[in-house]
């Protein structure tokens, strides 16, 4: 008997090669999708959790920039239940081949270079994702819509304020949701429906257009600039899929800070504690956090292994953070293993992993002063008594002026 | 470790000591320290000493244990060769399930015969300690012992229904073993902490010998009787040890975790592995007041929490004041509730304005799933 061909209906391709240069010191040595978020997560946990919660169990993660930490974090995919004998999560790095060797040149090229990976699963649909956003989305519902409209490509879209629309790829649609025009960062936007960078393609169509795009020497090998317009010009059926919910690009220091703060409060703007849509992550091995006898912790999120003796207000603290006696942390995001020593003050800041803020040191200024968010890169020490001004970005030890 | 060691953990022994907590579960799966089960300590000690195969002897109510252990991957014990091997009770027309430790060992000779490791470390789940198992095996080898029993110096009488004390000489050789001695008040004594090491060969031959002679008790028929003829050595464990021999013990040792030195002895420098639930980090809302407490992930606190241990997913509502209490997984405490010296088991619901109190010697216990 002929062996039955095993297949996956939908394979997800997650573009995780981004440098995230607007996150400055936070992405010196790691790719943007590996940036820590929300006390225990990393940005990539959101698309990966969305995949598994949507029943998509085959994910290719395309890495390029500083992939070490991201590769290690994803490992065999077990935290997301993506360690599978057939399918599961796979890291796809640029590689050498007999005929050519090259880095991924653009988003479309990255997917094109991994055609053999997708074809191995004989899929009907390809879901293209990016590792830059914080959101919860049921891709299965989007796939259903894609099938119902009989589209060749479906693009997830969200309404944004019209005055910000020129920062996005804008979809101009007919009343039935079909797209008649695609404008990349238009100066005068005709609509406020922005592409979320989430695409579902009918696999055969995608393969055809990727091959054509690769053969085109004038193409920049980008989905938004090249592949999608080419499909539209050729008259392929392209539909928008309206998403209503929390969706945030955490590509800048201020949006990363805001998105962290959106987790706080009784009715948070974004709830990571939703039992029906769990966000999976690699969990820290740490005992429960200890809140000391003189501690004051309010309106905050605190992860396992923290030792808090001081004051923590309106802040997000990742695992194993220490806040000593008399220290104050306000409006801040502290990543894993950071220590705030006695009497030190951290305000309106993002502090990366394993930073030491010395005794009596001051990092940042109150939000109201308008100097902006102070950022400390990982593994650095701020000397006792030193002052780091609001809005400053440091990635080396600092002794003060 | 120069020689290889296989672990054997007894999950059910001493259940009767804390019957409130072990009614629906094994001793091994009794929750402890906010996010652990008692077995996590024995199992992590073994894993951290390089042991990659652990047989877990079960008897009854082991559903919660199976659920906790899963494939063993959290302990890095999902292995092709070895890993976690559950050893459920065996019975047929002639054999009933075991009732003693010796009978349990008899029932796992198949497992022991199939292994290839040189040594066996046998541990119960009633002790919470950070023990270097490799060092105990090294001691056992150096002494050329037949059996090495680990002891801890205690000053308070043991409340367990079955325990042993050792009398080692200066070289560590055990000269006397007593079962349930009475006159311990005010004395320092060497309590056997239910961890022992033997060579696998010695253990198998001892079990076979016991079968032919019709012995039933490991303590009475093998240890105490042969204290002069066998080379039994006592390994002094000097670190922090918490034996859970009664509900008072459970409460007192839980509260000891609020002491930073105890925490660093138990958790510092190495990891304690446990099942993860992918809960969100805990949230402290506006107006919350939390002091001297351990809080696990997934909690949402709006009230006042003082000297408490909160397990995963606990909710404490506005205006509630919880003191000196242990609140287990997914317990929901409404608004304006007052609790003092209370232990709630999992999934308890305490409605608004209830007020409950026990005392440190006799904490008020609320069993699993109750609604008050």
């Amino acid at each position: 008997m002929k062996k039955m061909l095993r297949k996956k209906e939908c394979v997800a391709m997650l573009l995780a090669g981004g440098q995230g240069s607007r996150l400055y010191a936070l992405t010196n040595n790691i790719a943007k999708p590996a940036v820590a978020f929300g006390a225990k997560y990393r940005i990539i946990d959101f698309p990966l959790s969305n995949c598994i919660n949507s029943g998509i169990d085959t994910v290719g993660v395309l890495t390029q920039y500083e992939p070490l930490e991201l590769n290690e974090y994803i490992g065999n995919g077990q935290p997301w239940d993506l360690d599978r004998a057939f399918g599961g999560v796979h890291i796809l790095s640029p590689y050498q081949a007999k005929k050519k060797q090259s880095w991924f040149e653009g988003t479309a090229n990255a997917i094109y270079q991994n055609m053999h990976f997708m074809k191995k699963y004989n899929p009907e649909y390809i879901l293209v994702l990016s590792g830059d956003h914080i959101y919860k989305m049921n891709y299965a519902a989007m796939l259903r819509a894609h099938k119902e409209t009989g589209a060749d490509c479906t693009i997830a879209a969200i309404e944004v304020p019209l005055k910000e629309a020129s920062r996005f790829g804008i979809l101009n649609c007919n009343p039935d949701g079909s797209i008649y025009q695609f404008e990349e960062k238009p100066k005068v936007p005709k609509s406020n429906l922005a592409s979320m960078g989430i695409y579902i393609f009918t696999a055969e169509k995608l393969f055809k257009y990727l091959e054509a795009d690769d053969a085109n020497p004038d193409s920049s090998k980008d989905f938004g600039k090249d592949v999608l317009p080419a499909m539209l010009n050729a008259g392929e059926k392209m539909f928008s899929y309206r998403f209503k919910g929390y969706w945030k690009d955490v590509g800048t220091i201020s949006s990363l800070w805001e998105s962290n703060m959106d987790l706080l409060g009784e009715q948070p703007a974004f709830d990571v504690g939703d039992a029906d849509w769990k966000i999976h992550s690699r969990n820290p091995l740490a005992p429960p956090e200890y809140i000391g006898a003189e501690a004051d912790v309010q309106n905050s999120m605190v992860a396992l292994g923290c030792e808090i003796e001081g004051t923590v207000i309106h802040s997000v603290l990742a695992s194993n953070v220490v806040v000593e006696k008399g220290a104050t942390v306000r409006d801040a995001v502290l990543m894993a293993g950071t220590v705030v020593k006695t009497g030190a003050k951290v305000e309106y800041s993002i502090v990366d992993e394993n930073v030491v803020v010395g005794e009596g040191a001051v990092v940042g200024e109150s939000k109201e002063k308008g100097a902006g968010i102070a950022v400390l890169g990982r593994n650095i020490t701020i000397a006792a008594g030193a002052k780091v001004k609001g809005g400053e970005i440091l990635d080396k030890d600092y002794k003060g002026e | 470790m120069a020689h290889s060691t296989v672990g054997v953990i007894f999950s059910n022994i001493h259940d009767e000591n804390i019957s409130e907590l072990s009614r629906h579960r094994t001793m091994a799966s009794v929750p402890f320290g906010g996010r652990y089960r008692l077995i996590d300590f024995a199992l992590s000690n073994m894993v951290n000493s390089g042991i990659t195969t652990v047989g877990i002897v079960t008897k009854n109510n082991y559903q919660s244990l199976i659920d906790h252990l899963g494939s063993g991957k959290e302990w890095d014990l999902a292995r092709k060769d070895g890993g976690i091997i559950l050893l459920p009770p065996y019975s047929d027309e002639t054999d009933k399930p075991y009732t003693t430790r010796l009978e349990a060992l008899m029932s796992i000779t198949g497992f022991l015969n199939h292994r290839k490791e040189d040594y066996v470390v046998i541990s119960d789940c009633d002790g919470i300690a950070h023990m270097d198992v490799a060092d105990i095996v090294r001691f056992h080898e150096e002494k050329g012992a037949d059996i090495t029993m680990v002891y801890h110096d205690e000053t308070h009488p043991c409340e367990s229904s079955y325990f042993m004390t050792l009398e080692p000489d200066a070289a560590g050789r055990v000269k006397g073993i007593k079962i349930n001695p009475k006159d311990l008040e005010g004395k320092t004594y060497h309590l056997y902490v239910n961890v022992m090491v033997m060579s696998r060969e010695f253990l198998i031959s001892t079990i076979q010998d016991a079968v032919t002679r019709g012995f039933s008790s490991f303590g009475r028929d093998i240890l105490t009787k042969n204290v002069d003829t066998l080379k039994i050595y006592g390994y002094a464990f000097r670190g922090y040890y918490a034996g859970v021999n009664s509900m008072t013990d459970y409460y007192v040792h839980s509260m000891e975790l609020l002491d930073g030195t105890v925490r660093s002895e138990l958790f510092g420098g190495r990891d304690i592995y446990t099942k993860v639930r992918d809960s969100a980090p805990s949230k402290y809302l506006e107006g919350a007041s939390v002091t001297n407490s351990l809080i696990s992930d997934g909690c949402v606190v709006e009230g006042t929490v003082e000297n408490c241990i909160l397990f995963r997913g606990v909710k404490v509502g506005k205006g509630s004041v919880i003191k000196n209490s242990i609140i287990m997984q997914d317990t929901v405490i409404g608004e304006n509730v007052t609790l003092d010296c209370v232990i709630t088991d999992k999934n308890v619901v305490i409605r608004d304005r209830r007020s409950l109190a026990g005392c440190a010697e006799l904490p008020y216990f609320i069993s699993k799933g109750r609604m008050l």
Side-chain angles (χ1 to χ4, degrees):
Chain A
M1 204 170 82
K2 200 173 163 240
K3 204 175 161 194
M4 212 173 77
L5 187 64
R6 293 185 77 184
K7 61 179 292 170
K8 294 283 181 189
E9 187 190 28
C10 183
V11 170
M13 298 297 275
L14 204 167
L15 297 157
Q19 182 180 348
S21 54
R22 286 174 303 153
L23 289 174
Y24 305 99
L26 301 178
T27 49
N28 275 353
N29 308 104
I30 61 169
K32 182 170 156 190
V35 168
F37 175 83
K40 75 176 279 201
Y41 306 99
R42 289 174 188 254
I43 297 170
I44 198 165
D45 287 331
F46 294 86
L48 284 180
S49 298
N50 287 341
C51 278
I52 195 69
N53 292 342
S54 304
I56 294 167
D57 64 8
T58 306
V59 185
V61 177
L62 298 120
T63 64
Q64 178 149 299
Y65 175 79
E66 290 284 354
L68 177 71
E69 192 161 315
L70 187 62
N71 293 355
E72 201 176 85
Y73 184 70
I74 291 171
N76 68 350
Q78 182 265 321
W80 304 270
D81 203 15
L82 287 171
D83 51 335
R84 301 295 175 99
F86 184 64
V89 64
H90 296 262
I91 301 277
L92 304 170
S93 322
Y95 58 92
Q96 289 190 329
K98 209 163 199 177
K99 287 195 189 132
K100 61 172 188 179
Q101 46 177 308
S102 65
W103 294 96
F104 297 152
E105 282 169 45
T107 52
N109 178 255
I111 307 264
Y112 171 75
Q113 287 203 36
N114 290 288
M115 199 88 105
H116 56 299
F117 169 80
M118 294 181 282
K119 285 187 171 167
K120 197 172 86 165
Y121 297 101
N122 197 28
E124 283 165 56
Y125 307 100
I126 302 292
L127 168 66
V128 176
L129 302 167
S130 69
D132 302 340
H133 300 94
I134 301 298
Y135 65 112
K136 294 186 276 191
M137 180 173 176
N138 188 349
Y139 304 138
M142 178 171 169
L143 182 58
R144 244 184 337 264
H146 179 82
K147 290 182 205 168
E148 277 164 18
T149 56
D152 300 303
C153 172
T154 301
I155 301 174
I158 190 166
E159 281 182 30
V160 295
L162 196 59
K163 62 178 184 336
E164 289 175 32
S166 52
R167 294 200 291 121
F168 295 90
I170 294 296
L171 307 178
N172 297 322
C173 300
N174 299 310
D176 67 348
S178 61
I179 302 164
Y180 68 85
Q181 193 184 25
F182 187 82
E183 290 184 290
E184 187 68 26
K185 296 181 183 161
K187 286 211 177 74
V188 187
K190 294 194 194 89
S191 95
N192 66 339
L193 202 57
S195 162
M196 297 165 68
I198 298 165
Y199 318 119
I200 290 178
F201 294 95
T202 299
E204 268 173 57
K205 280 279 157 74
L206 176 67
F207 298 162
K208 184 181 138 191
Y209 279 90
L210 285 179
E211 269 156 25
D213 183 63
D214 186 64
N216 177 3
D218 299 327
S219 167
S220 58
K221 315 258 188 295
D222 185 85
F223 272 103
K225 291 190 195 110
D226 307 293
V227 177
L228 299 176
M231 285 182 83
L232 198 62
N233 291 339
E236 303 292 356
K237 270 177 98 175
M238 302 181 80
F239 274 79
S240 61
Y241 172 79
R242 293 285 284 272
F243 175 76
K244 286 181 182 132
Y246 187 93
W247 177 77
K248 193 142 193 158
D249 182 339
V250 285
T252 64
I253 294 293
S254 61
S255 65
L256 181 65
W257 183 90
E258 274 165 30
S259 198
N260 271 285
M261 296 305 148
D262 284 343
L263 306 174
L264 301 179
E266 198 174 358
Q267 305 286 337
F270 186 67
D271 184 12
V272 281
D274 182 354
D276 296 329
W277 200 268
K278 268 197 178 180
I279 307 302
H280 305 281
S281 69
R282 205 169 273 284
N283 286 263
L285 283 167
E289 65 259 25
Y290 174 73
I291 313 295
E294 292 164 36
D296 182 11
V297 182
Q298 292 200 40
N299 198 12
S300 292
M301 184 172 254
V302 179
L304 295 172
C306 287
E307 298 261 337
I308 314 293
E309 298 278 0
T311 300
V312 176
I313 311 281
H314 194 242
S315 293
V316 174
L317 273 53
S319 60
N320 299 313
V321 163
V322 177
V323 179
E324 294 186 355
K325 265 186 195 142
T328 303
V329 176
R330 191 187 293 268
D331 298 327
V333 176
L334 307 188
M335 295 181 191
T338 281
V339 179
V340 182
K341 298 264 191 191
T342 310
K345 198 169 169 185
V346 177
E347 225 174 325
Y348 197 39
S349 301
I350 299 181
V351 181
D352 206 340
E353 292 173 13
N354 301 315
V355 168
V356 178
V357 178
E359 248 175 71
V362 178
V363 175
E365 287 164 35
S366 81
K367 197 177 171 216
E368 290 68 36
K369 288 194 177 154
I373 299 164
V375 178
L376 303 182
R378 57 174 60 184
N379 304 323
I380 67 172
T381 300
I382 304 302
K387 279 195 170 57
V388 178
K389 288 193 199 104
E392 227 171 308
I393 296 174
L394 295 179
D395 59 4
K396 288 189 181 67
D397 289 355
Y398 183 71
K399 292 203 168 61
E401 280 158 4
Chain B
M1 231 180 291
H3 288 272
S4 54
T5 307
V6 59
V8 171
I9 292 179
F10 283 87
S11 67
N12 281 88
I13 299 225
H14 318 293
D15 280 8
E16 68 287 353
N17 287 337
I18 48 167
S19 55
E20 291 94 329
L21 284 168
S22 60
R23 188 164 301 145
H24 301 292
R25 50 170 85 92
T26 61
M27 187 78 169
S29 46
V30 165
F32 186 83
R35 65 185 303 247
Y36 302 99
R37 304 281 185 145
L38 288 179
I39 195 173
D40 293 338
F41 295 90
L43 206 48
S44 298
N45 284 336
M46 290 183 182
V47 169
N48 286 327
S49 297
I51 291 174
T52 56
T53 301
V54 182
I56 296 177
V57 184
T58 60
K59 189 174 178 192
N60 37 39
N61 296 336
Y62 55 89
Q63 169 58 40
S64 63
L65 183 63
I66 292 176
D67 179 55
H68 180 66
L69 296 173
S71 66
K73 63 192 170 200
E74 316 286 6
W75 295 265
D76 205 8
L77 288 176
R79 300 290 180 108
K80 221 163 198 177
D81 174 32
I84 280 183
I85 297 171
L86 279 174
L87 303 166
Y90 173 82
S91 66
D92 60 16
E93 298 90 31
T94 51
D95 283 341
K96 286 194 194 105
Y98 71 84
T99 55
T100 69
R101 184 189 299 275
L102 184 57
E103 286 169 11
L105 286 169
M106 289 170 182
S107 76
I108 66 161
T109 42
F111 166 75
L112 294 169
N113 279 322
H114 275 102
R115 296 311 310 170
K116 299 206 164 48
E117 289 83 355
D118 300 305
Y119 295 103
V120 184
V121 53
I122 300 176
S123 174
D124 293 350
C125 292
D126 59 334
I128 297 142
H130 169 192
M131 253 180 227
D132 183 350
V133 175
D135 193 57
I136 303 168
V137 174
R138 210 148 40 226
F139 172 92
H140 179 83
E141 271 187 322
E142 275 166 22
K143 296 289 181 187
D146 293 319
I147 301 174
T148 295
M149 299 172 78
V150 180
Y151 67 85
H152 187 255
D153 289 349
E154 295 285 339
T155 48
H156 294 290
C158 182
E159 290 185 54
S160 176
S161 58
Y162 183 88
F163 65 97
M164 286 183 246
T165 60
L166 309 183
E167 286 152 25
D169 66 13
R173 177 84 187 254
V174 174
K175 297 290 186 188
I177 300 174
K178 284 185 183 151
I179 297 172
N180 293 351
K182 294 257 180 297
D183 51 341
L184 295 172
E185 194 67 55
K187 283 184 196 159
T188 299
Y189 62 97
H190 308 304
L191 178 71
Y192 167 55
V193 297
N194 303 315
V195 177
M196 68 166 86
V197 173
M198 279 170 269
S199 76
R200 192 172 55 86
E201 242 169 72
F202 177 84
L203 176 60
I204 292 169
S205 68
T206 303
I207 295 167
Q208 275 162 355
D209 185 58
V211 171
T212 54
R213 289 165 196 263
F215 289 163
S216 65
S217 163
F218 199 85
R220 193 187 61 224
D221 298 330
I222 294 169
L223 295 174
T224 51
K225 260 190 204 155
N226 299 306
V227 76
D228 297 324
T229 50
L230 289 177
K231 281 198 278 179
I232 302 177
Y233 275 81
Y235 174 95
F237 176 67
R238 304 283 181 209
Y240 173 81
Y241 172 80
V244 180
N245 298 312
S246 65
M247 282 302 278
T248 312
D249 275 356
Y250 178 83
Y251 179 78
V252 168
H253 294 316
S254 293
M255 289 302 163
E256 278 168 0
L257 293 174
L258 299 178
D259 178 345
T261 54
V262 169
R263 275 203 310 284
S264 73
E265 268 220 49
L266 277 180
F267 303 115
R270 58 97 197 236
D271 294 316
I272 303 287
Y273 310 95
T274 190
K275 184 188 177 188
V276 298
R277 236 180 39 144
D278 281 351
S279 313
S282 356
K283 272 166 85 167
Y284 301 74
L285 301 181
E286 197 98 51
S289 167
V290 181
T291 47
N292 194 36
S293 295
L294 277 175
I295 314 288
S296 303
D297 41 350
C299 291
V300 179
V301 181
E302 201 170 0
T304 298
V305 176
E306 203 180 305
N307 309 331
C308 287
I309 293 172
L310 267 50
F311 282 67
R312 295 187 257 218
V314 168
K315 310 269 182 292
V316 179
K318 201 186 275 183
S320 288
V321 179
I322 317 301
K323 287 183 183 176
N324 311 310
S325 295
I326 300 168
I327 310 294
M328 288 189 198
Q329 197 168 305
D330 295 329
T331 287
V332 177
I333 296 169
E335 296 183 0
N336 302 308
V337 170
T338 320
L339 302 182
D340 191 6
C341 290
V342 170
I343 301 177
T344 72
D345 205 323
K346 286 171 72 172
N347 298 311
V348 165
V349 177
I350 299 174
R351 279 178 285 200
D352 297 355
R353 294 182 299 283
R354 296 290 184 278
S355 185
L356 298 162
C359 61
E361 293 73 31
L362 195 64
Y364 189 91
F365 179 78
I366 303 169
S367 57
K368 193 172 167 180
R370 276 192 67 188
M371 192 182 276
L372 292 176

